Amino acid sequence: VDAGKDQTLVLPVSGATLTATASDADGTLASYAWSKVSGPSATLSGQTTAVLSISALVQGVYVFNIEITDD
């Protein structure tokens, strides 16, 4: 699983996209689950897909996690 490189945003940018990539020996991934581990509030969209869209970011340090479940 790869959640992509760390990103640095400079205000007034208030949104970002994170894209996870993963592979499985038999080719099937059962689910994706993004979560915000720490940081100020943000609006998340696509938490159950490979691509997480984040908006309404404010100044701060954010940490996100992706958990991918194999079938």
Side-chain angles (χ1 to χ4, degrees):
V1 175
D2 182 2
K5 295 182 180 185
D6 290 351
Q7 295 184 31
T8 301
L9 306 175
V10 178
L11 293 174
V13 174
S14 63
T17 300
L18 303 178
T19 303
T21 56
S23 61
D24 178 22
D26 68 8
T28 304
L29 299 171
S31 65
Y32 294 83
W34 287 97
S35 60
K36 183 171 71 73
V37 176
S38 63
S41 66
T43 302
L44 308 180
S45 175
Q47 296 98 310
T48 60
T49 69
V51 180
L52 178 69
S53 296
I54 311 162
S55 60
L57 295 170
V58 297
Q59 183 175 352
V61 176
Y62 294 81
V63 176
F64 294 89
N65 183 65
I66 178 70
E67 182 177 314
I68 301 175
T69 304
D70 184 10
D71 65 344

